[in-house]
Amino acid sequence: MNEELLKAQGKSAKQPLVVWAIFFACIISFMGLGLVDPILPAIADQLHATPSQVSLLFSSYNLITGVAMLITGVVSSRIGVKWTLLTGILFTIIFAALAGASNGIWEIVGFRAGWGFGNSLFIATALSAIVGLSFGGTAKAIILYEAAIGLGISVGPLLGGELGSISWRGPFFGVSVLMIIAFLALLFKMPQVPKPKVKGSVLDPIKALKFPGLFLLGLTAFLYNIGFFTLMAYSPFVMNLDEHGLGYVFLGWGLCLAFTSVFVAPKLQAKFGTIKSMCVMLTLFALTLLAMGIWTDSSTTVIVAVIIAGLFLGTNNTLITTAVMQVAPVERATASAAYSFVRFIGGAIGPWLANKLAESYSPHVPFVTGAIFVLFAMLVVAFGRKQLKHVDKIAH
């Protein structure tokens, strides 16, 4: 798998237009993750909300995304890949626009949940669609998908900062408009992909978690995402920057994440193995969060740490996603849904917990707590390596 990934990076095979349409839609979809980062303080200020209330924009989005992962297989096996993608995009268009038109924090939190439902339908189906429609094999498709994720996560904060400097409503309307373009491109250019012969069940992802390897990786991702979203949802409140400044900081973070997820992770995987590389990346991320917890009062330290963290997060994201695809003897879509269900629950807890801890104790506590969760994630991988050792055998 590692050799395939490295070879795929060197290829320049032309892809059909529909693959680039899905690629574009993936970028816009993943923009939603970091889009609200630069406008969190502005929303809190203008809507008279507390940081923990504003953090629920992440929590509701991630919670519904995670829970809805259980039904994505049911939906796609009945209406097909194309209409699952289009339905997900349609939900995003509607709920992003509704969030932009809202006048209260609880309305936005609710509409972000609807956005999360659309996001789950889309991202759960997009990878299989790219694999099925692209030239160059699975390795090339994974590189394309990871590149789309990286671009979306890096461009999202930049767009959020630029549009957010005009109005906090701007980023929401911006995503809605861009997704309309993606919807039309897929509607007219994407062919019908044959439906699977076996209909999916809501219980399939739950049952898949009985496999020790997949369960361990899901638990790892649950703990790790608490730290991940502590950084995403809490750090904007302690950097003392405006929308433009926050947008550029998270652009740097996202570019680091995109670069390492596509170019660095496969090389580390090939040289040191998945499990060792994951343990090192998780340890480095935990230490970064700890440094942010110790020097929270230094805006410069927090800014630099956020950008550096992107290097470790991008690498780990690719490592753990690749491991999930290899570890369970079930279909990739089912394994992905099971893993995503668990990790997005962690992503829902992290933002609210971080800001609540800051309000109840001190600004330092959220980062230190996040570091502890990430350290536990590393220990899960380290002590569970016997159940995960075949990942590296498959990879090599």
Side-chain angles (χ1 to χ4, degrees):
M1 183 65 178
N2 295 322
E3 292 179 3
E4 288 181 30
L5 284 169
L6 292 170
K7 288 178 182 177
Q9 291 172 347
K11 293 183 178 180
S12 57
K14 292 183 178 179
Q15 297 294 345
L17 182 60
V18 63
V19 170
W20 294 115
I22 299 171
F23 179 83
F24 172 73
C26 283
I27 293 173
I28 308 305
S29 178
F30 282 100
M31 277 184 183
L33 190 64
L35 184 87
V36 298
D37 263 313
I39 57 173
L40 291 178
I43 291 176
D45 180 57
Q46 294 179 36
L47 297 183
H48 309 292
T50 65
S52 61
Q53 288 174 334
V54 174
S55 72
L56 294 176
L57 270 69
F58 279 108
S59 295
S60 65
Y61 179 85
N62 286 333
L63 178 62
I64 299 303
T65 297
V67 172
M69 285 292 172
L70 299 177
I71 67 165
T72 53
V74 176
V75 175
S76 63
S77 65
R78 284 162 175 77
I79 68 174
V81 170
K82 177 176 181 177
W83 289 105
T84 303
L85 288 172
L86 290 173
T87 302
I89 292 174
L90 191 60
F91 268 88
T92 300
I93 292 168
I94 293 170
F95 284 101
L98 288 172
S102 300
N103 293 311
I105 186 63
W106 297 113
E107 292 176 45
I108 303 176
V109 169
F111 291 136
R112 278 281 286 181
W115 185 345
F117 178 74
N119 185 58
S120 69
L121 291 178
F122 180 83
I123 64 174
T125 315
L127 178 57
S128 62
I130 289 178
V131 169
L133 296 168
S134 66
F135 301 144
T138 301
K140 184 69 174 179
I142 291 175
I143 292 297
L144 277 174
Y145 185 72
E146 291 292 342
I149 292 174
L151 284 170
I153 288 177
S154 58
V155 174
L158 180 64
L159 179 67
E162 293 303 312
L163 295 177
S165 65
I166 302 169
S167 168
W168 66 262
R169 302 177 190 274
F172 296 109
F173 290 130
V175 163
S176 189
V177 170
L178 289 171
M179 272 305 206
I180 290 173
I181 299 172
F183 181 88
L184 294 174
L186 292 183
L187 180 64
F188 293 113
K189 293 297 181 180
M190 184 172 180
Q192 287 287 358
V193 178
K195 299 176 187 177
K197 295 179 180 179
V198 180
K199 302 295 183 185
S201 165
V202 175
L203 296 178
D204 288 345
I206 302 285
K207 291 178 180 177
L209 290 171
K210 71 181 180 182
F211 297 104
L214 185 58
F215 176 80
L216 286 172
L217 289 174
L219 179 59
T220 300
F222 171 84
L223 296 166
Y224 153 70
N225 270 271
I226 292 176
F228 184 112
F229 281 95
T230 293
L231 181 143
M232 289 281 287
Y234 176 62
S235 63
F237 289 102
V238 298
M239 282 191 271
N240 300 314
L241 297 173
D242 62 10
E243 292 87 349
H244 281 293
L246 289 171
Y248 287 123
V249 169
F250 279 99
L251 171 65
W253 168 82
L255 288 174
C256 288
L257 186 148
F259 177 78
T260 54
S261 67
V262 176
F263 297 105
V264 176
K267 293 181 180 180
L268 289 177
Q269 209 172 19
K271 188 168 185 179
F272 302 108
T274 304
I275 307 307
K276 286 183 181 178
S277 299
M278 281 175 61
C279 287
V280 172
M281 290 302 112
L282 289 169
T283 301
L284 290 173
F285 179 42
L287 291 174
T288 304
L289 285 172
L290 182 61
M292 294 168 74
I294 295 171
W295 292 289
T296 309
D297 296 330
S298 169
S299 296
T300 302
T301 300
V302 175
I303 290 168
V304 172
V306 166
I307 295 171
I308 290 174
L311 299 171
F312 312 135
L313 294 170
T315 306
N316 192 65
N317 284 348
T318 297
L319 291 171
I320 197 168
T321 300
T322 304
V324 167
M325 292 296 100
Q326 298 166 343
V327 76
V330 294
E331 291 185 0
R332 285 184 172 184
T334 302
S336 178
Y339 158 74
S340 296
F341 164 67
V342 179
R343 76 182 173 108
F344 274 111
I345 300 301
I349 293 170
W352 178 85
L353 178 63
N355 283 283
K356 206 66 180 175
L357 288 172
E359 291 169 7
S360 301
Y361 299 100
S362 81
H364 304 267
V365 174
F367 291 126
V368 175
T369 303
I372 292 171
F373 276 111
V374 176
L375 183 61
F376 280 137
M378 184 278 292
L379 293 174
V380 169
V381 176
F383 286 104
R385 61 187 180 277
K386 288 185 178 180
Q387 282 76 28
L388 299 171
K389 61 183 179 181
H390 61 291
V391 169
D392 287 321
K393 291 181 181 179
I394 295 171
H396 287 88

